[in-house]
């Protein structure tokens, strides 16, 4: 890319272009982002646009290109530090460089974002909260910085402070209507609280605002899948993929839908599609592919194949040392040493999330732990104790997106069967009604015959 059309004159213009860009950005105050290259700034903005659309891989490409053009660009480093899934050394290098970056070379927004996220990354949630409060106080009541408002809203969302998060996101939307992720979050907040009609309204509004993006169609599909509207969900996910063929989240959710639906051939075909997409490579790094293959083998009656998939070839290590099916297989095989190791792994995750202030993720992990221990006790015939653990897991789990909703329904099915085995008809009726009110189709699934 050249700008040297007319020798010296245009060469001089090219030299002055960064200054001109800075002046344009600074007409009403500080430049929005720090950078020495206009082209790098364009790449950064393109990456931020893709990030807002949840096109993670596209965003990474732009941020990497921005760093090629301007190796010191701090916000590009911050985004990559948060987005890189598998390269720990590169990610940690970015975090170190961000902490060492001279603050006097940053504008106030960048100082806030980098200081806030380096504290969060370092497991210092109280310090991060103080940085947020200080920056918001500096901006005052008329704060119009969408980045700061978004951090505030997301913080309340992660803490599961639903009322505060909802007020915050509505404030963000009123001031920045194009910040469409806020509309998605409003739907998920309603969904988490079981307010499914309100969730649908929010997702429909999201789709109305951004019909040319894949995310709103995917959001609607997730809700429809949770509610047992499988045909509608399939259409929504397919629509998302018509908008963006490599939108990994929609492919992933479509595979989960077929699994819930009992369409095993379609589920396997969609898994192969997911494995072929570069945009889904991060799921391989997280062990999603091998764990999904294990579930497919398991429901097909190939217990040995499922076990080999999880315990050989590094799948369990990719999963961080814990996996629901791996735990179940360990219990069924009386390998309680492996089960204990998985419990220890998830306890470590819980402790890490607690120190980092991730309330929502910690609650989900605690629910997984209670559920797993309930599976162990159920298999050992200690049904009343198992029921209590499944009940505690239900109290901590939410209809918060498709993945967590699937787990909540899965756990409730265990609770219902546990009440049946322990002779608790009132519990059976109440739990069955609770499931039926959300998705009666899962009542036909038989997930516990392997433990009986």
């Amino acid at each position: 890319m050249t700008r040297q059309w007319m020798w010296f004159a245009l060469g001089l213009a090219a030299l002055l272009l960064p200054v001109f860009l800075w002046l344009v950005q600074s007409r009403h105050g500080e430049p929005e982002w720090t950078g020495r290259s206009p082209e790098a700034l364009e790449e950064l903005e393109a990456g931020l646009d893709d990030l807002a659309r949840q096109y993670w891989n596209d965003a990474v490409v732009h941020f990497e290109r921005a760093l090629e053009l301007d190796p010191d660009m701090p916000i590009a480093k911050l985004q990559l530090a948060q987005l890189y899934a598998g390269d720990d050394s590169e990610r940690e290098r970015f975090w170190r460089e961000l902490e060492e970056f001279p603050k006097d070379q940053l504008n106030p927004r960048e100082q806030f974002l980098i200081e806030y996220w380096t504290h969060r990354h370092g497991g210092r949630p109280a310090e991060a909260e103080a940085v947020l409060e200080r920056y918001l106080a500096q901006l005052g009541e008329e704060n119009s910085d969408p980045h700061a408002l978004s951090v505030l809203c997301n913080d309340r969302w992660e803490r599961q402070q639903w009322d505060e998060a909802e007020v915050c996101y509505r404030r963000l939307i009123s001031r920045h209507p194009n910040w469409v992720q806020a509309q998605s979050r409003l739907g998920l907040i309603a969904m988490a609280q079981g307010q499914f009609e309100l969730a649908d309204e929010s997702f429909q509004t999201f789709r109305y605002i951004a019909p040319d993006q894949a995310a709103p169609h995917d959001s609607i599909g997730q809700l429809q899948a949770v509610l047992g509207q499988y045909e509608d969900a399939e259409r929504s996910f397919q629509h998302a993929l018509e908008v963006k063929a490599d939108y990994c989240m929609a492919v992933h959710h479509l595979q989960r839908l077929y699994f819930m639906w009992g369409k095993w051939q379609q589920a396997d075909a969609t898994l192969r599609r997911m494995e072929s997409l570069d945009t889904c490579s991060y799921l391989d790094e997280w062990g999603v592919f091998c764990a999904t293959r294990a579930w497919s083998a398991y429901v097909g009656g190939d217990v040995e194949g499922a076990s080999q998939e999880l315990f050989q070839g590094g799948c369990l290590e990719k999963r961080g040392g814990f996996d629901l099916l791996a735990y179940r297989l360990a219990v069924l095989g009386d390998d309680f040493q492996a089960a204990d190791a998985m419990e220890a792994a998830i306890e470590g995750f819980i402790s890490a999330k607690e120190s980092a202030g991730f309330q929502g993720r910690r609650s989900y992990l605690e629910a997984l732990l209670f559920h797993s221990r309930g599976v162990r006790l159920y298999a050992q015939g200690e049904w009343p104790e198992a029921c209590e653990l499944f009940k505690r897991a239900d109290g901590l789990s939410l209809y918060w997106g498709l993945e967590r909703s699937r787990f909540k329904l899965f756990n409730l099915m265990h609770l219902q069967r546990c009440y049946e085995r322990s002779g608790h008809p009132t519990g059976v009726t109440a739990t069955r009604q609770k499931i039926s009110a959300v998705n009666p189709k899962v009542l036909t699934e038989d997930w516990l015959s392997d433990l009986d």
Side-chain angles (χ1 to χ4, degrees):
M1 183 176 183
T2 67
R3 299 180 185 274
Q4 300 175 358
W5 299 325
M6 296 183 67
W7 310 298
F8 175 78
L10 291 179
L12 180 62
L15 290 174
L16 292 176
L17 187 57
V19 177
F20 171 75
L21 179 67
W22 183 86
L23 289 171
V24 169
Q25 291 177 321
S26 303
R27 284 180 301 177
H28 302 292
E30 293 283 346
E32 189 167 17
W33 305 113
T34 295
R36 296 194 300 263
S37 162
E39 292 85 358
L41 288 168
E42 289 177 6
E43 292 288 347
L44 177 67
E45 291 289 355
L48 293 173
D49 286 343
D50 280 332
L51 202 60
R53 296 184 180 93
Q54 301 177 35
Y55 299 165
W56 316 121
N57 283 59
D58 294 351
V60 165
V61 170
H62 286 298
F63 295 139
E64 289 178 334
R65 178 60 179 153
L67 277 188
E68 289 176 9
L69 295 164
D70 182 354
D72 293 326
M73 180 175 277
I75 294 303
K77 289 182 181 180
L78 177 62
Q79 298 300 338
L80 290 174
Q82 294 176 308
L83 286 171
Y84 274 170
D87 191 343
D88 291 336
S89 61
E90 185 77 353
R91 186 168 60 243
E92 291 305 317
R93 180 176 69 83
F94 285 144
W95 284 118
R96 288 194 303 272
E97 291 176 356
L98 287 167
E99 289 196 87
E100 296 167 359
F101 199 92
K103 288 184 171 55
D104 59 1
Q105 295 181 25
L106 300 168
N107 65 37
R109 173 193 284 170
E110 291 171 326
Q111 289 184 34
F112 155 67
L113 289 171
I114 290 172
E115 191 174 2
Y116 176 85
W117 286 111
T118 51
H119 280 309
R120 286 291 295 262
H121 172 72
R124 302 182 295 272
E127 290 87 339
E129 178 75 9
V131 169
L132 174 60
E133 291 177 355
R134 184 168 62 250
Y135 185 61
L136 292 172
Q138 291 171 358
L139 294 173
E141 280 298 315
E142 296 305 314
N143 169 26
S144 62
D145 184 344
H147 297 272
L149 281 176
S150 180
V151 168
L152 175 64
C153 300
N154 294 345
D155 178 81
R156 301 307 182 253
W157 142 280
E158 182 57 55
R159 294 171 187 266
Q160 298 184 7
Q161 297 172 349
W162 305 126
D163 292 343
E164 291 183 37
E166 180 179 354
V167 168
C168 187
Y169 283 124
R170 293 195 184 283
R171 178 185 176 195
L172 178 56
I173 291 170
S174 69
R175 297 185 179 190
H176 304 278
N178 292 329
W179 206 272
V180 293
Q181 188 186 46
Q183 193 67 51
S184 174
R185 288 289 172 87
L186 287 175
L188 288 169
I189 287 171
M191 198 173 169
Q193 298 175 92
Q195 299 171 350
F196 299 120
E197 290 185 7
L198 184 59
D200 183 60
E201 290 177 14
S202 293
F203 291 145
Q204 295 291 346
T205 301
F206 183 21
R207 183 172 64 178
Y208 177 79
I209 295 170
D212 59 340
Q213 296 182 24
H217 305 289
D218 176 70
S219 295
I220 292 170
Q222 290 186 65
L223 176 62
Q224 291 166 332
V226 171
L227 298 179
Q229 300 165 8
Y230 295 156
E231 293 86 354
D232 293 337
E234 182 182 34
R235 283 192 290 271
S236 293
F237 293 139
Q238 295 288 11
H239 197 163
L241 293 169
E242 289 170 8
V243 173
K244 185 168 176 58
D246 65 347
Y247 188 59
C248 181
M249 293 174 68
V251 184
H252 189 195
H253 292 145
L254 183 61
Q255 194 279 333
R256 292 293 193 247
L257 168 68
Y258 286 138
F259 202 88
M260 293 173 67
W261 205 345
K263 293 194 171 186
W264 311 119
Q265 288 185 343
Q266 290 93 327
D268 288 342
T270 308
L271 172 60
R272 290 192 294 272
R273 178 180 180 180
M274 193 162 54
E275 290 174 316
S276 71
L277 292 173
D278 289 340
T279 52
C280 288
S281 60
Y282 70 97
L283 294 178
D284 184 32
E285 294 165 0
W286 293 349
V288 172
F289 293 165
C290 54
T292 303
R293 288 194 296 268
W295 272 111
S296 181
Y298 190 68
V299 298
D302 184 5
V303 176
E304 183 178 351
S307 183
Q308 288 178 351
E309 188 73 57
L310 286 165
F311 292 104
Q312 299 178 21
C315 187
L316 190 58
E317 289 75 10
K318 288 182 178 181
R319 306 289 286 163
F322 174 85
D323 177 84
L324 271 178
L325 180 57
Y327 186 94
R328 195 182 194 92
L329 290 170
V331 168
L332 289 171
D334 293 331
D335 188 352
F336 297 110
Q337 183 176 358
D340 289 341
M342 280 185 262
E343 287 189 26
I346 202 167
E347 285 172 340
F349 292 149
I350 291 168
S351 177
K353 297 304 180 187
E354 183 174 10
S355 65
F358 293 114
Q359 173 60 43
R361 298 176 199 176
R362 187 171 74 248
S363 297
Y364 177 58
L365 291 168
E366 289 172 343
L368 290 175
L369 184 59
F370 286 133
H371 172 88
S372 299
R373 288 173 173 166
V375 165
R376 179 189 290 210
L377 290 175
Y378 185 101
Q380 293 172 341
E382 300 179 33
W383 297 308
E385 295 84 354
C387 292
E388 184 59 32
L389 288 171
F390 292 140
K391 186 176 179 181
R392 292 179 71 180
D394 180 58
L396 287 166
S397 56
L398 301 166
Y399 294 108
W400 198 1
L402 178 56
E403 203 67 17
R404 297 193 187 187
S405 297
R406 286 177 68 246
F407 170 73
K408 186 172 179 70
L409 291 167
F410 182 68
N411 179 72
L412 281 170
M413 290 292 291
H414 283 67
L415 179 59
Q416 176 187 304
R417 179 68 69 87
C418 191
Y419 280 142
E420 289 174 356
R421 294 304 302 266
S422 60
H424 193 329
T426 303
V428 172
T429 301
T431 307
R432 187 175 183 84
Q433 289 175 345
K434 192 171 183 178
I435 297 168
S436 184
V438 176
N439 184 349
K441 291 183 179 180
V442 303
L443 291 169
T444 63
E445 299 176 7
D446 185 11
W447 283 107
L448 273 174
S449 57
D450 57 343
L451 296 179
D452 286 334

